[in-house]
């Protein structure tokens, strides 16, 4: 199969003349490598075949298509032709591979290949296709499948772009000419292997003459030497990148570069003033700020950091430090000022850069000096004690009024006012001391006791007589010397235990003593028994000569039944001058001890339990007693508890309601607040069950008269029988009522009796019976009941009224 490329014809125009005799081979005689190999296996190689073979070895199986083609017709790519194709239409050309149907089409008769879409090399640089010639009828390949490439030929359709965007760079000021600052880079999407479409050169559009850029590398360098940050510290450059090696018609892109000059220490410090003057009060406290000075430096950051020092006058009175935030020199007072001694100072101060660069030392000295005059202003000062802390000593037995010592203060001002003294009573709450207001002599006002307070610290106040607001303070420490005025006593409260089986000569207690007094050579105590008990037969005392003594038994066989406690007086004498003594009593308890001498029980004999009663039985009895006591208390508490009714609905509990039925009006409204059935007329046959909705099944605890099916009317019975029957019926109802409280109660009911001829006029009777009643008898009661007879009578003349009320 041979390939014909329109692009190849244009690029190989010079070869046409040389290869024109071979034109009949067909389009350069370009035969696929596969076809040439197969043919070489079955033919004899001759001179002509060798020449033909030589042309077949030059295989060019790729086509070229110009990108971004904008024509209206499909772009011709190339032509496929098979030697088998005789032009009779029996051979069909088939194209497959990348874009074979969407981008590239082939004329199956002629083998012409066209591109139907606009191609972009930057999206896809080449396409791999397969071509094959097949029999049109049988679709059997007449030649093997061949693969070829369609390369998209680049045009300059992409401008250079700076992918990093805006550049930020720094370079030290005062840099040498040609110092590299930063490198910029632009990329071009065009094909770098074809033509000059992707060959970029750089140039500066804005930023000259301070900086330059290398055309090929994009490296930006300084174009001027010794650029000064203090003059201008920032530059903005516009860099252009242009393809086609910068030739006419090339595309370009730009970016901006901001270059900042960084600071170097090329400027010395400088005081804006050569002389400063400050005034301070002589009362200014030590460590206070006297003044602030500042040297100006055009540099910034660490290059502007300062160090200050005092080079003349007042090195011991003042000191200077650097404020790290403001780089100011802070002058601080180190000693108190005294206007009367010296009222002005001249201080010479030097400021020096902390970080000096050797490269710029040749520019000059990186330091500057200034003078600061400090004037002291006089103030009215408080009195000053000649000795701030006075130490005095007094004996403990000194009498009241004895002088201890004297304090002295003076007015430091030139006026030299008189001084008055007093004691700050917060330091002498018990007012043990006094001070003379004029002389300052301190004396005793109350007796001293070293054992209570051995050192008294007093604050003495000194006030000017002309200005009492000016008060000076002095301090006095008074030490009280000890005298032997306290007798020795036992060191602790001893609890001495003596076993009943103690043997004679046994040490039962070792005692020591303490003395509140202070002995210069140390305490030495002597122990002995008073003469009255030396000859006792129970105990003796042995002085150990080391400020301790031992109590020793003289006999054995001590018994608690005979004596449980022994009291032994002990005499203790100190070595003071004069010597003091005291008698202390030692209590000795007789104890029952085990075989090792450990006390088991001491003091009174314990109560002996019966032999047959064990400890467990005693505990059980005690538990029973406590349980019974708790039960009794619970029963008493329950009895005292207030009984509350179980019925919570007030409208249903009518037992304690008193109903006054002495009016004739009201009608049916009387039934709204009460159970009217409970108050119905007794002349009506009673139902033994109060609750009609519940049939009580509870058995009663008392016998009641058996109610017959037909009970006699109450008004036909004697009065006592009526009342008895009435009470029994209601008692029975209350007894069988499920909701009634579980306790007896007195229920009172209003009863009109059975002697009334008119019986009851209550309308409540209608609630307990459904039977018709005859009211004709009302007409016989006289004129007062005529109206009722007309309303309720059954005569023909009252039929209208009855029908109206029925």
């Amino acid at each position: 199969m041979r390939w014909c490329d329109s692009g190849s014809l244009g690029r190989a125009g010079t070869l046409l003349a040389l290869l024109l005799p071979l034109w009949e081979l067909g389009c350069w005689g370009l035969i696929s490598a596969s076809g040439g190999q197969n043919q070489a296996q079955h033919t004899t190689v001759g001179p002509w075949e060798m020449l033909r073979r030589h042309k077949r070895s030059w295989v060019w199986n790729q086509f070229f298509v110009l990108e971004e083609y904008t024509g209206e017709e499909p772009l011709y790519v190339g032509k496929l032709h098979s030697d088998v194709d005789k032009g009779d239409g029996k051979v069909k050309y088939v194209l497959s591979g990348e874009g074979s149907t969407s981008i590239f089409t082939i004329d199956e008769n002629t083998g012409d290949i066209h591109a139907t879409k606009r191609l972009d090399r930057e999206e896809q640089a080449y396409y791999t296709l397969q071509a094959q010639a097949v029999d049109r009828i049988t679709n059997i390949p007449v030649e093997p499948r061949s693969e070829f490439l369609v390369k998209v030929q680049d045009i300059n359709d992409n401008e250079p772009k700076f992918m990093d965007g805006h550049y930020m760079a720094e370079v030290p000021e005062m840099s040498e000419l040609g110092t590299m600052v930063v490198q910029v880079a632009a990329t071009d999407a065009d094909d770098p292997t074809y033509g000059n479409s992707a060959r970029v050169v750089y140039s500066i559009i804005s930023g000259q003459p301070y900086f330059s850029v290398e055309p090929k590398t994009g490296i930006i360098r300084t174009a001027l030497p010794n650029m000064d940050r203090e003059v201008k510290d920032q530059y903005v450059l516009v860099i252009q990148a242009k393809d086609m090696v910068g030739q006419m018609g090339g595309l370009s892109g730009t970016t901006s570069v901001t270059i900042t000059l960084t600071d170097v220490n090329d400027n010395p410090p400088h005081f804006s003033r050569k002389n400063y003057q400050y005034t301070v009060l002589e009362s200014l406290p030590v460590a206070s700020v006297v003044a602030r000075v500042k040297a100006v430096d055009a540099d910034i950051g660490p290059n502007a950091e300062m160090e200050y020092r005092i080079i003349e006058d007042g090195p011991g009175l003042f000191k200077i430090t650097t404020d790290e935030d403001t780089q100011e020199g802070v002058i601080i007072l180190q000693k108190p000022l005294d206007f009367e001694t010296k009222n002005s100072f001249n201080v010479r101060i030097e400021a020096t850069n902390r970080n000096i660069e050797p490269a710029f030392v040749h520019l000059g000295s990186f330091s500057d000096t200034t003078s600061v005059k400090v004037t002291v202003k006089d103030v009215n000062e408080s009195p000053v004690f000649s000795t701030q802390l006075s130490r005095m000593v007094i004996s403990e037995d000194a009498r009241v009024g004895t002088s201890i010592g004297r304090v002295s203060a003076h007015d430091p001002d030139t006026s030299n006012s008189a001084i008055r003294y007093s004691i700050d009573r917060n330091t002498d709450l018990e007012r043990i001391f006094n001070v003379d207001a004029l002389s300052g002599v301190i004396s005793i006002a109350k007796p001293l006791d070293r054992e209570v307070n051995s050192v008294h610290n007093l604050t003495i106040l000194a006030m000017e007589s002309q200005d009492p607001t000016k008060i000076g303070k002095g301090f006095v420490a008074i030490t009280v010397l000890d005298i032997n005025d306290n007798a020795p006593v036992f060191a602790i409260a001893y609890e001495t235990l003596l076993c009943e089986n103690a043997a004679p000569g046994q040490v039962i207690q070792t005692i020591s003593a303490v003395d509140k007094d202070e002995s210069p050579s140390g305490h030495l105590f002597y122990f002995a028994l008073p003469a009255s008990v030396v000859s006792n037969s129970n105990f003796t005392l042995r002085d150990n000569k080391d400020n301790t003594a031992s109590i020793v038994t003289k006999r054995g066989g001590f018994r608690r039944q005979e004596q449980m406690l022994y009291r032994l007086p002990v005499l203790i004498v100190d070595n003071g001058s004069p010597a003091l003594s005291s008698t202390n009593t030692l209590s000795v308890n007789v104890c029952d001890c085990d075989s090792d001498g450990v006390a088991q029980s001491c003091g009174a004999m314990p109560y002996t339990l019966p032999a047959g009663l064990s400890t467990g039985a005693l505990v059980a009895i005690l538990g029973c007693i406590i349980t019974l006591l708790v039960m009794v208390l619970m029963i008493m508490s329950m009895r005292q508890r207030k009984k509350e009714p179980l019925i919570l609905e007030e409208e249903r509990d009518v037992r304690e309601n008193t109903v006054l039925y002495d009016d004739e009006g009201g009608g049916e409204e009387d039934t709204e607040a009460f159970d009217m059935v409970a108050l119905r007329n007794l002349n009506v046959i009673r139902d033994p069950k109060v609750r009609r909705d519940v049939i009580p099944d509870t058995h009663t605890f008392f016998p009641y008269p058996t109610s017959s099916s037909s009970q006699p009317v109450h008004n036909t019975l004697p009065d006592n029988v009526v009342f008895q029957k009435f009470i029994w019926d209601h008692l029975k109802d209350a007894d069988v009522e499920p909701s009634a409280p579980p306790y007896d109660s007195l229920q009172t009911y209003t009863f009109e009796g059975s002697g009334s001829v008119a019986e009851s006029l209550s309308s409540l009777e209608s609630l307990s019976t459904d039977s018709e009643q005859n009211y004709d008898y009302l007409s016989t009661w006289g004129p007062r009941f005529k109206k009722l007879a007309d309303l309720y009578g059954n005569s023909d003349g009252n039929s209208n009224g009855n029908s109206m009320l029925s």
Side-chain angles (χ1 to χ4, degrees):
M1 183 180 292
R2 293 178 297 177
W3 315 82
C4 297
D5 184 4
S6 61
S8 64
L9 294 176
R11 289 190 296 270
T14 58
L15 299 178
L16 288 176
L18 298 176
L19 300 177
L20 187 59
L22 302 176
W23 178 253
E24 59 187 18
L25 296 176
C27 294
W28 300 83
L30 301 180
I31 302 175
S32 64
S34 60
Q37 292 172 358
N38 295 334
Q39 194 171 6
Q41 294 176 0
H42 302 285
T43 58
T44 303
V45 178
W48 173 250
E49 292 296 328
M50 291 179 62
L51 178 60
R52 189 178 181 187
R53 174 71 63 182
H54 175 71
K55 293 303 180 182
R56 285 187 176 183
S57 64
W58 182 32
V59 177
W60 189 14
N61 60 345
Q62 61 182 6
F63 296 152
F64 290 91
V65 179
L66 192 65
E67 71 168 331
E68 304 293 345
Y69 173 72
T70 59
E72 296 181 357
E73 297 296 330
L75 179 63
Y76 181 73
V77 177
K79 183 179 181 64
L80 272 70
H81 184 73
S82 174
D83 294 340
V84 181
D85 186 4
K86 304 301 181 178
D88 53 3
K90 294 183 179 181
V91 176
K92 180 174 66 174
Y93 297 95
V94 179
L95 187 68
S96 61
E98 293 180 305
S100 59
T101 58
S102 59
I103 299 176
F104 301 101
T105 61
I106 187 170
D107 190 327
E108 62 180 11
N109 296 320
T110 63
D112 293 333
I113 301 174
H114 291 82
T116 61
K117 291 186 178 180
R118 180 179 178 181
L119 301 179
D120 187 356
R121 190 199 68 83
E122 286 69 41
E123 291 183 2
Q124 187 166 346
Y126 63 90
Y127 297 85
T128 303
L129 298 171
Q130 292 82 33
Q132 193 171 27
V134 300
D135 187 272
R136 183 179 297 276
I137 298 175
T138 63
N139 283 331
I140 298 175
V142 298
E143 282 194 9
R145 183 187 302 270
S146 299
E147 184 175 270
F148 66 96
L149 298 178
V150 178
K151 298 189 69 174
V152 182
Q153 187 173 354
D154 182 51
I155 64 172
N156 189 17
D157 60 341
N158 291 279
E159 73 277 3
K161 294 182 180 179
F162 292 92
M163 304 308 294
D164 293 336
H166 181 74
Y167 287 84
M168 302 291 294
E170 294 181 349
V171 63
E173 65 171 332
M174 309 301 291
S175 296
E176 297 180 355
L177 179 66
T179 302
M180 177 180 174
V181 180
V182 68
Q183 183 177 16
V184 296
T187 58
D188 196 316
D190 293 326
D191 189 358
T193 64
Y194 178 75
N196 296 325
S197 299
R199 295 181 62 183
V200 178
V201 294
Y202 302 92
S203 62
I204 289 184
I205 297 178
S206 175
Q208 295 176 334
Y210 305 102
F211 300 93
S212 64
V213 62
E214 294 181 358
K216 294 183 178 180
T217 62
I219 296 176
I220 300 175
R221 300 181 183 274
T222 58
L224 292 177
N226 301 327
M227 286 188 292
D228 193 354
R229 186 200 65 83
E230 287 73 35
V231 176
K232 186 177 181 180
D233 63 346
Q234 196 172 79
Y235 300 85
V236 179
L237 281 63
V238 177
I239 305 298
Q240 182 188 64
K242 190 173 183 180
D243 58 13
M244 299 299 293
V245 201
Q247 298 177 1
M248 185 72 67
L251 304 179
S252 64
T254 60
T255 187
S256 60
V257 181
T258 300
I259 300 177
T260 303
L261 297 183
T262 58
D263 185 58
V264 297
N265 192 7
D266 59 340
N267 293 279
H270 173 70
F271 284 104
S272 58
R273 297 166 56 183
K274 291 300 181 183
N275 294 284
Y276 294 86
Q277 289 188 356
Y278 295 95
T279 301
V280 296
L281 299 175
E282 66 169 331
S283 59
L284 185 70
V286 174
S288 299
V289 176
V290 176
R292 286 176 175 263
V293 295
K294 184 176 183 180
V296 180
D297 193 329
D299 297 321
I300 59 175
N303 297 321
E305 293 180 356
M306 301 289 177
E307 286 185 352
Y308 298 88
R309 68 187 184 96
I310 298 175
I311 57 178
E312 288 183 14
D313 204 353
L317 187 62
F318 304 100
K319 73 174 182 179
I320 188 168
T321 60
T322 302
D323 188 331
E324 297 299 334
D325 295 329
T326 63
Q327 293 300 313
E328 292 179 313
V330 183
I331 303 175
I332 300 175
L333 182 65
Q334 284 190 298
K335 296 180 180 180
L337 297 174
D338 189 0
F339 173 82
E340 288 74 24
T341 303
K342 189 175 182 179
N343 56 16
S344 67
F345 300 89
N346 289 316
V347 183
R348 190 78 175 167
I349 297 176
E350 180 185 49
T352 306
N353 274 142
R354 184 176 297 171
N355 305 306
I356 299 177
E357 295 188 20
F360 301 101
V361 174
H362 65 279
L363 298 178
S365 176
F366 283 80
S367 63
D368 194 14
T369 59
T370 187
S371 293
V372 179
K373 183 178 181 180
V374 180
T375 301
V376 182
K377 185 178 180 180
D378 186 29
V379 296
N380 187 11
E381 301 173 84
S382 300
V384 178
F385 282 85
S386 57
T387 302
Q388 192 66 20
L389 176 60
S390 300
R391 298 184 181 275
M392 302 178 184
V393 178
I394 188 66
S395 177
E396 183 181 7
D397 60 349
R399 293 179 299 176
V400 174
T402 302
S403 297
I404 304 174
R406 181 177 181 273
V407 293
S408 176
H410 67 281
D411 184 4
D413 299 320
T414 55
S415 60
N416 196 16
S417 300
I419 304 299
R420 295 183 62 86
Y421 302 95
S422 64
I423 296 178
D424 184 356
R425 291 304 176 184
N426 290 325
T427 61
D428 185 24
L429 297 176
E430 297 181 0
R431 297 180 176 269
I432 300 175
F433 303 96
N434 286 330
V435 62
D436 187 89
L438 299 178
S439 64
V441 175
I442 300 175
S443 60
I444 302 174
K446 289 183 179 180
L448 301 176
D449 188 353
R450 190 205 65 85
E451 286 70 39
V452 176
N453 193 351
S454 61
V455 178
H456 297 268
N457 295 310
L458 304 180
T459 300
I460 308 299
L461 307 178
M463 296 176 292
E464 291 185 13
S465 57
Q466 295 180 358
D467 186 3
T469 59
K470 299 299 179 181
I471 302 175
K473 291 185 179 181
F475 303 96
V476 177
I478 301 175
T479 301
V480 180
L481 298 179
D482 184 47
I483 62 171
N484 191 21
D485 58 345
N486 290 278
V489 295
F490 278 154
I492 60 174
Y494 293 101
E495 183 180 358
T496 304
L497 303 179
L498 174 62
C499 292
E500 289 182 315
N501 57 357
Q506 180 178 340
V507 177
I508 61 173
Q509 184 68 61
T510 300
I511 59 176
S512 61
V514 293
D515 194 332
K516 294 181 180 180
D517 294 325
E518 184 180 39
S519 177
S521 58
H523 289 291
L524 181 60
F525 301 114
Y526 304 95
F527 299 88
L529 294 179
S532 58
V533 296
V534 169
S535 59
N536 76 91
S537 60
N538 298 315
F539 309 100
T540 185
L541 183 144
R542 183 175 64 234
D543 194 339
N544 299 324
K545 306 300 182 181
D546 59 353
N547 288 342
T548 65
S550 300
I551 306 300
V552 183
T553 59
K554 284 186 176 181
R555 66 178 180 88
F558 294 93
R559 294 290 181 267
R560 286 184 293 168
Q561 292 83 350
E562 299 175 359
Q563 187 171 348
M564 296 177 296
L565 177 66
Y566 294 89
R567 297 185 183 276
L568 182 66
V570 177
L571 178 65
I572 308 175
V573 183
D574 63 16
N575 62 336
S577 180
L580 297 179
S581 64
S582 66
T583 301
N584 301 264
T585 301
L586 181 68
S587 297
V588 180
N589 292 283
V590 181
C591 301
D592 179 21
C593 303
D594 58 11
S595 59
D596 296 329
V598 178
Q600 299 297 319
S601 60
C602 302
M605 293 289 291
Y607 175 75
T608 302
L609 296 175
L613 188 60
S614 63
T615 304
L618 180 62
V619 172
I621 294 173
L622 184 60
C624 294
I625 295 175
I626 294 175
T627 302
L628 292 175
L629 181 61
V630 171
M631 293 178 62
V632 171
L633 292 176
M634 291 177 63
I635 294 173
M636 294 178 63
S637 176
M638 292 178 62
R639 287 188 175 182
Q640 293 178 359
R641 186 179 302 172
K642 181 180 178 180
K643 297 180 180 181
E644 296 179 0
L646 297 180
I647 301 176
L648 301 179
E649 299 179 5
E650 294 182 357
E651 63 272 10
R652 297 184 60 186
D653 188 6
V654 299
R655 293 174 292 100
E656 296 181 1
N657 293 338
T658 301
V659 180
L660 299 179
Y661 202 85
D662 57 355
D663 59 329
E664 297 180 0
E668 297 298 327
E669 296 178 358
D670 294 341
T671 65
E672 291 181 0
F674 306 97
D675 186 2
M676 297 305 175
V677 178
L679 301 177
R680 62 181 177 267
N681 195 334
L682 296 179
N683 294 328
V684 181
I685 298 176
R686 297 180 50 80
D687 186 355
K689 297 184 293 297
V690 176
R691 296 185 59 180
R692 298 183 180 183
D693 57 338
V694 178
I695 300 175
D697 54 0
T698 305
H699 298 285
T700 61
F701 295 96
F702 303 97
Y704 300 103
T706 304
S707 59
S708 61
S709 59
S710 61
Q711 295 182 359
V713 181
H714 289 135
N715 58 3
T716 61
L717 300 176
D719 289 345
N720 57 345
V721 178
V722 171
F723 279 103
Q724 182 179 6
K725 185 66 171 62
F726 178 81
I727 293 174
W728 276 103
D729 289 344
H730 284 81
L731 182 60
K732 179 180 179 181
D733 294 341
D735 190 32
V736 300
E737 174 60 33
S739 61
Y743 50 84
D744 295 338
S745 62
L746 177 63
Q747 299 187 14
T748 303
Y749 299 89
T750 302
F751 180 64
E752 297 181 1
S754 60
S756 175
V757 179
E759 299 181 343
S760 176
L761 301 178
S762 174
S763 61
L764 301 179
E765 192 175 11
S766 61
L767 298 177
S768 59
T769 180
D770 296 329
S771 62
E772 294 290 339
Q773 298 187 24
N774 188 2
Y775 297 97
D776 293 340
Y777 57 87
L778 294 176
S779 59
T780 62
W781 285 4
R784 294 184 178 182
F785 297 92
K786 185 177 183 302
K787 187 64 175 178
L788 291 175
D790 295 338
L791 292 175
Y792 294 93
N794 290 327
S795 62
D796 296 335
N798 296 335
S799 61
N800 294 334
N802 292 336
S803 63
M804 180 179 62
L805 297 175
S806 61

